[in-house]
Structure formats: C-alpha cells, structure tokens
Amino acid sequence: MQRLKLLKAGWKLQTGYKGANHVNKSALFSREYSEGPSPFGLLFDIDGVLVRGRTPIPAAKQCFRKLVDHSGKYKVPVVFVTNAGNCMRQTKAEHLSQILETEVSPDQVMLSHSPLRMFTQFHKMCVLVSGQGPVKEVAHNLGFEDVITIDMLREAYPLLDVVDHDRRPKDTIPPTKGLRKIDAVILFGEPVRWETNLQLIVDVLLTNGDPDNNWNAVQYPHIPVLACNMDLLWMAEAKNPRFGHGMFLVCLENLYKKITGCDLKYEALIGKPSVVTYNYAELLIRQQAQKLGWTTPVKRFYAIGDNPMADIYGANLYNRYLQTSHKAKVQIQAKGGMDSPTESVSSSGQGEADDIHPEGCSSILVCTGVYSKDQEELPAGPSETVTEQKIFHGHRDFRFDPSLTQPSFVVNDVKEAVELVFQQEEWPLE
C-alpha cells in the first residue's frame, strides 16, 4: 500500500480534497546532476493532435522530422499520453512510427490503463474487464493474473444478455456454466455493445461478483471498480466529436443510481485529466531523458492536446499539484525540518527517496481536434460558472475549476506547438 501514496495524493487534489500531501518521486536517477541547459520534456496527445481517426494530421509528420536528428535520435524526451486503451503499447508504437515516419518505442507510449501496473493489490484478484480489442491480453500484460471478459461472462450465463433477440437462446435453455467469484471490475474503454456491457456489469455489482445470486441493492458499497479514460468526447474523421468512454461511464453511473439509489463508487479513475496519469508520465519522461544520456533533471513539461476538458484540464491540474508539492517542501525547510523520505513508485516498482521535481507543466491547446476556435470559446476565467457559460464535460467525481480549462498557449496545430516550445526554451529546433 505504501507504493500508492503518490497516487492517493493526486486523487485528493483532483477530486477537491484539501491538503494534498507532498510526495517525493522515485529515484530513477540516484546520481548527482551536473550543471547544464535547462531541459524539458514533451507530452503528446494522439487523437486530434497527431491523427484524426486513421488519418494523419499533416503538421504532425512535419514537426517530428524536426524532433529527431539525422540518426533518428530524439532531441528531447518525448512521451505519447493518450486516453485510448484498446490495444497494446507495442501496437500503438508501431502505428505511430508508421504515420509519423519516425521511430516510436513502446516505452514512449502511455495508454489510459498504463498506471494500472502500479495497482498491484488487485493483480491477484479475479477481475472482470470491459472494453474492446485484446482486453484479456492487455490485462495480463498489466499484471492481472485472473481475468474474465464480458464475452466469457455472457457465455457462462447465457440468459443475462437478451436485449438483442438474435442472441437470445433458441428452443432449449442452455445450462449455466458458472464462473469463479469476481472480486473487482476494470473498465478499459468503450465497448462495442454498450447494452451488453452495461447489463452484465450491473449484474456483477448487484450480486457481489457472483451472477448466480439474486440482485441485492442493500449490499453497499459494491466490489471495487477501476475505470480508465474519462473522455466524454473524442475526435475522429467525422466533422463532430464522437462519444468516448466517459459517456459510457455516465450511463453506468446513472443506471446504478437509478436501480439502487446509491452512487457508483470508483476505487480509482485513471487517464487524463487524472493527476495519477501525469505522475506516471513523469516517470516515463525521466526514463527517456536517461536514455538520451542527460545528466540534468527535466525541469518543465509541455503537454500538447486538443481537448480542454482532458488534455488542458489535466496538465493544469498536474501543474497545480507540482506547485503544491513545492510549497509544502519550502514550508518544511522554512521550519528547519528535513523533508522526510516518502515511498513512491518507480518504473521497477521499487520505492525510493528522491528530491527531484519538475518545476511545472505548461498546457498547449491545438485547434485540429475537439477544440476549434470557430465552434467553441473557452471560459474567460473562474468567475464563469458551468451553468452560466459552459457545460462541464469532465467526470462526475472531479471538482470543476474553469481556470483549469485555460491553456498556457493556443496554437493552430502540433507543428506550431513544438516550434513555440523550442522558442520558449531558446533551444535550436533545426
């Protein structure tokens, strides 16, 4: 449980709890740092920034030609942070390498579910996974050992999935096979058949993980639920945004509330704009800096995205988390105390003490995806409330702060974003 202190501090901040704890980061670099230029790292969203569905955005290929040298080595640490989660990291890396015509390694790719590697207390539990793509393989790759898919559940209990008349049992009623009791539910992303997944997940929650039992709404709270990707909308080739996994979560939450009168509770919400996601992305940036041979810690992050409620809100929330951490450290030092080592999470899963923190995270909004200057205006500031000016597209459990939707910069596309960053940092891009 010590390994989750970092995650809990971020959770308190993003959900509006007061006093997020200062947490030291893992000592990925245990050696002393040498003096040198102030280094930075880049966090790229994918959908709406680099691609629209399967179609590459022309500016993406152009900017990545400048981000690598003649040998294909990146000039600065680059990590791709996406809320997609319907594939393996290797698959996403190969896809990015193809469309960008630049080598992308799996170690540079962070999917919405990647931080689940750190939730080791669930890895030996029997978990039900929902989503699409190779969900069972993805779950095993993240460390989960005992996995049941929605398809496995409906095959074991053929009378549960009856909305589609063509899938109802014909003539004779097949016997129930029965499965082991489910201990937790993992929601990777939007499924193909929403009605099937919604029905079976509710069945599992109301039967305490055993669909052989009768519904029991009195038993509350339910078994743990962990959800990845809270995007209400995302941008593909269509002119208008498409429903994302966040919309599926809205349906599930309201169905559960309608049936039981109680709120669906999450053990964790993972993916942008969660602070947990950016903490994990920071570790990956450090790994990339190490591979580049840098001996100076990364001081600043620039997060480039197209969704004000996910990419921009998340980057700004993480920046606030960093500022809170720095203030806590200064206060401790001002009192003459030593900053006590706190266990945190490293890529190897080992907790170590370290005093290295980024100074901040700047958010850059591009106009090639969910956000368009012609179709949407950002709130002018905290004085504009959701009811008066904007509909909040964030998740139910997030405290909404309009100021966090304000990007540090607004540019036309990702090429302009990268050029802006290098200009800000006074680094040569050519």
Side-chain angles (χ1 to χ4, degrees), residues 326-368:
H326 283 299
K327 288 179 181 178
K329 181 179 178 180
V330 169
Q331 290 173 357
I332 292 174
Q333 292 175 339
K335 293 178 181 178
M338 297 297 292
D339 194 1
S340 59
T342 305
E343 186 123 6
S344 66
V345 184
S346 73
S347 61
S348 62
Q350 301 299 318
E352 299 177 10
D354 194 22
D355 257 347
I356 301 163
H357 295 270
E359 293 177 353
C361 180
S362 297
S363 55
I364 304 179
L365 180 64
V366 299
C367 303
T368 52

Side-chain angles (χ1 to χ4, degrees), residues 51 99 303 318:
V51 298
I99 64 174
Y318 182 58

